Amino acid sequence: MNHVHLGPELPPARGPVSAAVREYLRGTGPLPRAEDADAAAAYGDDLQLALYLCYELHYRGFAGVPPEREWDPGLLGVRAALERRFLAALRADATVHTRLDDALADLLVEPVDGAGVSHFLREQGELWQVREYAAQRSLYHLKEADPHAWVLPRLWGRAKAAMAAVEFDEYGGGRADRVHARLFADLMRDLGLDTTYGRYLDAAPAEALATVNLMSLLGLHRELRGALVGHFAAVEITSSPGSRRLAEAMRRTGAGAAAAFFYDEHVEADAVHEQVVRHEVIAGLLEEEPHLAADVAFGIDATGHLEDRLGDRLLADWRAGRSSLRVPLGTVPGVLVGEPR
């Protein structure tokens, strides 16, 4: 059966590396030159889009791209080179904690004078900023839980059982209408956004792509299973308070009932998940493989580093009264929404 037509359209390139990857996927050009891959900025648009294109082949792929490109040896070699640059930058820039206990302790502390994106949106965000936030987060939330599911075959015992239990919740507990990706699509619909998978890839800046690429990077490599568990811990432990603020932001800006419900759902669910992740997933993993403690800490640090970079980008743009997106969102026909000045 031919599946070439499935998946979103390939987005425009953002530099020589992503341009070459794009053309290679289309069958109209060679792979990137080694020197271009080596020279690409680790957190820049060109490298991050090129990596995203490579990783997306392991999810739904792209329209017009043959399925066999997923395991193309030459393309995997390019991806490996880009991953080395990205991972080396993260190890150099993101590593904060040498002890896992310290990394976890910091995650559990909610700053009294928090000033992140969820605080901004709750206190002063406008509807157009909420829409921009949702559009960028859709790159992850429309595939929510999928990158983390890759770690399941690499765990066993307590860690596997607990990870599977949390993932089961993320996938709606067996109910299609409760799958978190479906709930996020409902949120987007309330906000007048297009719910098509991958629709806002071209609009999202490098900082947003990097947060999604990190999950794919950690999920696709068995040797990084500890870091993937660290990423999962960072997401689940910090989710509940942040989701509470975002639910309030949705209500204050009139985003809609489904928009508020998505974050309400995460307040309660992730409060439970946080306990399971710390006491079963992480504890179970380290019971079997104690040498992975430093990797778990790195996963926590890398997640925080990239989330901070994205938050800084969003807040800098919004406080200056400008859009944080590369291209305008537009609207779904028949839905009126506010736009940035």
Side-chain angles (χ1 to χ4, degrees):
M1 183 177 179
N2 189 340
H3 292 284
V4 173
H5 65 286
L6 300 179
E9 297 292 328
L10 282 165
R14 304 187 189 182
V17 180
S18 56
V21 169
R22 184 180 188 276
E23 294 310 306
Y24 186 76
L25 292 177
R26 297 175 63 198
T28 57
L31 287 165
R33 299 183 305 168
E35 53 267 38
D36 287 337
D38 291 339
Y43 304 122
D45 274 299
D46 193 24
L47 183 144
Q48 291 301 325
L49 179 59
L51 260 186
Y52 196 100
L53 297 180
C54 292
Y55 287 146
E56 192 58 37
L57 300 178
H58 299 290
Y59 295 101
R60 301 194 193 182
F62 291 99
V65 176
E68 56 267 25
R69 284 292 193 222
E70 179 181 6
W71 300 110
D72 183 288
L75 189 61
L76 290 176
V78 170
R79 194 191 88 187
L82 298 174
E83 287 177 329
R84 285 192 294 271
R85 284 192 57 76
F86 186 32
L87 191 56
L90 288 171
R91 292 198 183 281
D93 301 337
T95 302
V96 174
H97 299 95
T98 57
R99 296 179 66 253
L100 175 56
D101 287 347
D102 294 336
L104 288 170
D106 284 351
L107 282 181
L108 291 167
V109 175
E110 265 282 290
V112 176
D113 56 346
V117 170
S118 64
H119 293 86
F120 177 91
L121 291 177
R122 179 187 63 180
E123 295 161 9
Q124 57 185 293
E126 299 179 26
L127 188 58
W128 66 268
Q129 294 161 334
V130 168
R131 294 183 75 239
E132 289 193 354
Y133 181 75
Q136 295 185 54
R137 286 302 194 188
S138 71
L139 299 183
Y140 165 57
H141 281 303
L142 291 183
K143 60 164 68 85
E144 186 169 352
D146 292 349
H148 294 136
W150 277 323
V151 83
L152 285 170
R154 295 150 186 180
L155 304 176
W156 60 91
R158 287 171 59 199
K160 180 191 282 286
M163 188 78 183
V166 176
E167 288 285 273
F168 185 63
D169 284 350
E170 301 288 343
Y171 289 122
R175 292 177 53 187
D177 62 325
R178 301 287 294 187
V179 172
H180 284 188
R182 168 69 179 274
L183 297 181
F184 195 81
D186 293 341
L187 171 150
M188 295 177 72
R189 195 171 293 108
D190 261 4
L191 290 168
L193 296 172
D194 189 336
T195 64
T196 303
Y197 182 88
R199 168 67 175 79
Y200 296 109
L201 175 55
D202 189 36
E207 292 86 352
L209 300 188
T211 65
V212 185
N213 284 339
L214 176 65
M215 291 182 283
S216 299
L217 168 65
L218 301 181
L220 284 167
H221 292 271
R222 185 177 64 84
E223 66 176 330
L224 297 174
R225 62 194 179 281
L228 190 282
V229 167
H231 180 282
F232 192 60
V235 170
E236 296 297 330
I237 291 173
T238 61
S239 174
S240 187
S243 293
R244 182 176 290 105
R245 289 188 289 271
L246 289 169
E248 293 173 9
M250 297 299 150
R251 292 189 178 90
R252 188 182 62 77
T253 57
F261 179 78
F262 175 82
Y263 289 109
D264 285 336
E265 175 78 2
H266 282 70
V267 172
E268 182 176 348
D270 290 344
V272 175
H273 293 171
E274 176 258 315
Q275 296 291 320
V276 176
V277 171
R278 284 197 298 127
H279 298 300
E280 295 298 325
V281 178
I282 293 177
L285 173 68
L286 298 184
E287 183 176 75
E288 301 285 352
E289 301 184 278
H291 62 283
L292 293 180
D295 287 350
V296 178
F298 169 69
I300 292 171
D301 286 345
T303 303
H305 177 70
L306 293 180
E307 288 293 335
D308 287 346
R309 285 178 56 85
L310 175 58
D312 290 345
R313 166 67 185 265
L314 296 176
L315 293 177
D317 286 335
W318 291 343
R319 286 172 175 153
R322 61 177 179 262
S323 172
S324 62
L325 302 177
R326 299 180 66 256
V327 297
L329 285 180
T331 62
V332 173
V335 178
L336 298 178
V337 293
E339 291 291 349
R341 292 183 294 274

XYZ file of all heavy atoms in Angstrom, residues 260-309:
394
model
N -9.649 25.704 28.626
C -9.432 25.630 30.076
C -9.407 24.176 30.544
O -8.607 23.805 31.411
C -10.527 26.400 30.807
N -10.250 23.328 29.941
C -10.332 21.936 30.382
C -9.021 21.196 30.176
O -8.630 20.365 31.009
C -11.454 21.209 29.642
C -11.578 19.763 30.032
C -12.192 19.409 31.225
C -11.062 18.759 29.224
C -12.296 18.072 31.600
C -11.160 17.421 29.590
C -11.781 17.084 30.785
N -8.331 21.467 29.076
C -7.066 20.775 28.821
C -6.113 20.963 29.986
O -5.491 20.005 30.463
C -6.416 21.291 27.534
C -5.050 20.692 27.280
C -4.941 19.445 26.685
C -3.894 21.365 27.646
C -3.679 18.883 26.457
C -2.643 20.815 27.422
C -2.540 19.568 26.815
N -5.985 22.200 30.461
C -5.045 22.462 31.561
C -5.622 22.029 32.907
O -4.875 21.571 33.784
C -4.639 23.930 31.551
C -3.743 24.241 30.372
C -4.191 25.005 29.295
C -2.453 23.727 30.321
C -3.379 25.257 28.204
C -1.631 23.976 29.225
C -2.095 24.732 28.177
O -1.286 24.962 27.094
N -6.929 22.130 33.087
C -7.540 21.588 34.309
C -7.231 20.103 34.443
O -6.931 19.608 35.528
C -9.056 21.780 34.277
C -9.478 23.223 34.553
O -8.690 23.958 35.191
O -10.591 23.603 34.142
N -7.333 19.387 33.347
C -7.054 17.948 33.341
C -5.629 17.662 33.800
O -5.373 16.703 34.529
C -7.277 17.399 31.922
C -6.916 15.944 31.722
C -7.959 14.977 32.257
O -9.008 15.444 32.756
O -7.722 13.760 32.190
N -4.681 18.504 33.395
C -3.279 18.283 33.743
C -2.971 18.663 35.187
O -2.013 18.145 35.764
C -2.366 19.054 32.783
C -2.209 18.383 31.452
N -3.230 18.300 30.533
C -1.157 17.747 30.890
C -2.802 17.655 29.459
N -1.546 17.304 29.651
N -3.733 19.559 35.768
C -3.497 19.929 37.173
C -3.634 18.705 38.059
O -2.760 18.395 38.877
C -4.479 21.034 37.625
C -4.358 21.253 39.132
C -4.194 22.342 36.872
N -4.736 17.994 37.903
C -4.992 16.834 38.762
C -4.165 15.629 38.356
O -3.523 14.985 39.194
C -6.475 16.472 38.710
C -6.846 15.305 39.611
C -8.338 15.032 39.628
O -9.100 15.882 39.115
O -8.723 13.976 40.151
N -4.147 15.327 37.045
C -3.455 14.122 36.587
C -1.968 14.185 36.868
O -1.361 13.211 37.341
C -3.708 13.925 35.096
N -1.357 15.334 36.592
C 0.092 15.421 36.734
C 0.540 15.535 38.181
O 1.693 15.240 38.497
C 0.634 16.581 35.892
C 0.526 16.288 34.399
O 0.336 15.104 34.051
O 0.614 17.226 33.591
N -0.345 15.947 39.060
C -0.009 15.916 40.484
C 0.195 14.475 40.939
O 1.083 14.166 41.746
C -1.111 16.587 41.303
N -0.622 13.569 40.399
C -0.469 12.139 40.689
C 0.753 11.586 39.961
O 1.562 10.843 40.527
C -1.736 11.361 40.279
C -1.530 9.866 40.475
C -2.937 11.853 41.069
N 0.909 11.956 38.706
C 2.037 11.469 37.916
C 3.371 11.838 38.547
O 4.328 11.057 38.490
C 1.968 12.039 36.503
C 0.806 11.538 35.711
N 0.460 12.065 34.481
C -0.096 10.549 35.961
C -0.602 11.423 34.013
N -0.955 10.511 34.899
N 3.440 13.012 39.118
C 4.693 13.466 39.741
C 5.166 12.479 40.802
O 6.345 12.134 40.881
C 4.484 14.859 40.338
C 5.680 15.418 41.097
C 5.512 15.315 42.601
O 4.426 15.639 43.096
O 6.494 14.902 43.271
N 4.247 11.990 41.619
C 4.592 11.019 42.662
C 5.042 9.693 42.043
O 6.022 9.090 42.486
C 3.382 10.788 43.574
C 2.941 12.009 44.358
C 3.951 12.394 45.435
O 4.526 11.545 46.100
N 4.182 13.690 45.579
N 4.320 9.251 41.027
C 4.654 7.986 40.388
C 6.021 8.063 39.712
O 6.832 7.134 39.811
C 3.567 7.600 39.354
C 3.960 6.327 38.603
C 2.222 7.417 40.033
N 6.280 9.164 39.037
C 7.550 9.311 38.329
C 8.722 9.300 39.311
O 9.726 8.609 39.092
C 7.558 10.600 37.484
C 8.949 10.874 36.923
C 6.555 10.492 36.360
N 8.601 10.038 40.393
C 9.721 10.104 41.345
C 9.930 8.791 42.085
O 11.059 8.306 42.211
C 9.489 11.233 42.354
C 9.739 12.618 41.799
C 9.902 13.644 42.902
N 8.704 13.777 43.712
C 8.686 13.683 45.046
N 9.796 13.424 45.711
N 7.556 13.852 45.710
N 8.841 8.212 42.595
C 8.970 7.076 43.508
C 8.965 5.716 42.823
O 9.375 4.726 43.437
C 7.842 7.124 44.546
C 7.879 8.347 45.399
N 8.963 8.671 46.202
C 6.979 9.360 45.557
C 8.717 9.804 46.832
N 7.521 10.247 46.450
N 8.516 5.673 41.559
C 8.470 4.395 40.866
C 9.341 4.376 39.606
O 10.161 3.486 39.437
C 7.025 4.030 40.518
C 6.143 3.798 41.740
C 6.620 2.637 42.605
O 7.131 1.641 42.040
O 6.496 2.730 43.837
N 9.153 5.368 38.729
C 9.931 5.355 37.484
C 11.407 5.597 37.778
O 12.264 4.766 37.428
C 9.396 6.396 36.483
C 10.261 6.375 35.215
C 7.940 6.116 36.122
N 11.724 6.720 38.417
C 13.126 7.018 38.681
C 13.716 6.042 39.689
O 14.807 5.479 39.460
C 13.290 8.468 39.181
C 12.934 9.449 38.064
C 14.723 8.711 39.658
C 13.003 10.898 38.469
N 13.024 5.820 40.789
C 13.547 4.901 41.800
C 13.705 3.496 41.232
O 14.700 2.806 41.512
C 12.628 4.887 43.020
N 12.744 3.059 40.426
C 12.838 1.742 39.819
C 13.986 1.642 38.833
O 14.687 0.622 38.776
N 14.180 2.689 38.032
C 15.293 2.700 37.087
C 16.634 2.598 37.809
O 17.502 1.793 37.439
C 15.246 3.980 36.243
C 16.441 4.223 35.312
C 16.460 3.199 34.181
C 16.421 5.637 34.755
N 16.800 3.411 38.842
C 18.089 3.446 39.545
C 18.306 2.209 40.407
O 19.454 1.857 40.709
C 18.187 4.717 40.382
C 18.137 6.020 39.574
C 18.339 7.218 40.477
C 19.172 6.009 38.454
N 17.243 1.553 40.781
C 17.375 0.284 41.491
C 18.053 -0.754 40.591
O 18.854 -1.573 41.055
C 15.987 -0.202 41.899
C 15.960 -1.475 42.718
C 14.541 -1.818 43.147
O 13.763 -2.290 42.285
O 14.194 -1.583 44.329
N 17.723 -0.710 39.301
C 18.307 -1.638 38.341
C 19.612 -1.112 37.748
O 20.542 -1.886 37.499
C 17.309 -1.900 37.201
C 15.976 -2.476 37.639
C 16.069 -3.944 38.013
O 17.137 -4.543 37.786
O 15.073 -4.483 38.530
N 19.681 0.196 37.508
C 20.841 0.787 36.832
C 21.276 2.071 37.545
O 21.060 3.175 37.036
C 20.497 1.086 35.374
C 20.078 -0.133 34.570
C 19.851 0.189 33.107
O 18.755 0.685 32.770
O 20.782 -0.015 32.313
N 21.878 1.954 38.704
C 22.249 3.147 39.479
C 23.222 4.080 38.759
O 23.259 5.275 39.064
C 22.881 2.552 40.741
C 23.244 1.151 40.383
C 22.237 0.701 39.388
N 23.951 3.555 37.789
C 24.917 4.386 37.058
C 24.237 5.425 36.173
O 24.914 6.333 35.656
C 25.820 3.506 36.199
C 25.089 2.722 35.147
N 24.357 1.586 35.437
C 24.954 2.926 33.805
C 23.821 1.117 34.327
N 24.155 1.908 33.326
N 22.918 5.334 36.007
C 22.202 6.285 35.146
C 21.743 7.541 35.886
O 21.109 8.404 35.282
C 20.993 5.611 34.499
C 21.291 4.507 33.477
C 20.000 3.935 32.921
C 22.179 5.039 32.350
N 22.078 7.673 37.156
C 21.621 8.837 37.924
C 22.069 10.143 37.289
O 21.286 11.106 37.191
C 22.115 8.747 39.367
N 23.312 10.218 36.847
C 23.811 11.458 36.235
C 23.077 11.762 34.935
O 22.836 12.926 34.601
C 25.311 11.352 35.985
N 22.702 10.720 34.192
C 21.959 10.933 32.949
C 20.559 11.475 33.229
O 20.050 12.324 32.483
C 21.853 9.632 32.170
C 23.168 9.212 31.529
O 24.110 10.024 31.538
O 23.242 8.086 31.028
N 19.921 10.966 34.277
C 18.606 11.480 34.649
C 18.708 12.965 34.995
O 17.882 13.784 34.554
C 18.014 10.689 35.832
C 16.657 11.279 36.240
C 17.858 9.212 35.476
N 19.741 13.325 35.751
C 19.952 14.734 36.106
C 20.185 15.577 34.857
O 19.666 16.700 34.741
C 21.125 14.865 37.067
N 20.957 15.051 33.906
C 21.186 15.786 32.661
C 19.891 16.006 31.903
O 19.652 17.087 31.351
C 22.185 15.043 31.769
C 22.264 15.596 30.376
C 22.818 16.849 30.149
C 21.757 14.885 29.292
C 22.875 17.380 28.859
C 21.802 15.405 28.016
C 22.365 16.661 27.791
N 19.024 14.994 31.862
C 17.739 15.155 31.184
C 16.901 16.254 31.804
O 16.242 17.030 31.100
N 16.930 16.343 33.124
C 16.215 17.415 33.822
C 16.805 18.768 33.458
O 16.078 19.724 33.131
C 16.280 17.185 35.345
C 15.461 15.952 35.736
C 15.791 18.425 36.103
C 15.634 15.525 37.180
N 18.123 18.866 33.490
C 18.792 20.140 33.204
C 18.584 20.579 31.758
O 18.335 21.766 31.482
C 20.292 20.024 33.487
C 20.616 20.001 34.969
O 19.738 20.352 35.783
O 21.757 19.644 35.327
N 18.707 19.641 30.816
C 18.543 19.984 29.401
C 17.130 20.471 29.122
O 16.916 21.421 28.354
C 18.872 18.774 28.524
N 16.154 19.836 29.758
C 14.763 20.266 29.586
C 14.567 21.687 30.090
O 13.976 22.528 29.402
C 13.824 19.309 30.349
O 14.032 17.974 29.891
C 12.367 19.711 30.151
N 15.075 21.970 31.281
C 14.951 23.312 31.841
C 15.648 24.358 30.989
O 15.137 25.468 30.797
N 16.821 24.003 30.485
C 17.592 24.947 29.664
C 16.820 25.348 28.409
O 16.709 26.549 28.088
C 18.927 24.292 29.280
C 19.785 25.120 28.389
N 20.418 26.266 28.819
C 20.109 24.974 27.071
C 21.112 26.790 27.816
N 20.933 26.036 26.745
N 16.272 24.375 27.701
C 15.560 24.686 26.461
C 14.219 25.355 26.717
O 13.803 26.228 25.946
C 15.378 23.414 25.637
C 16.677 22.804 25.095
C 16.388 21.546 24.295
C 17.456 23.810 24.243
N 13.547 24.968 27.798
C 12.295 25.647 28.142
C 12.560 27.103 28.516
O 11.773 27.995 28.178
C 11.590 24.920 29.285
C 10.974 23.590 28.888
C 9.805 23.745 27.930
O 9.173 24.808 27.914
O 9.536 22.779 27.186
N 13.660 27.359 29.197
C 14.018 28.740 29.547
C 14.324 29.554 28.296
O 13.943 30.735 28.198
C 15.219 28.761 30.489
C 14.869 28.311 31.896
O 13.667 28.235 32.227
O 15.811 28.031 32.679
N 15.017 28.950 27.337
C 15.323 29.652 26.088
C 14.036 30.018 25.352
O 13.895 31.140 24.844
C 16.212 28.788 25.187
C 17.672 28.707 25.614
C 18.458 27.784 24.682
N 18.342 28.204 23.301
C 19.091 29.129 22.704
N 20.043 29.739 23.396
N 18.924 29.442 21.438
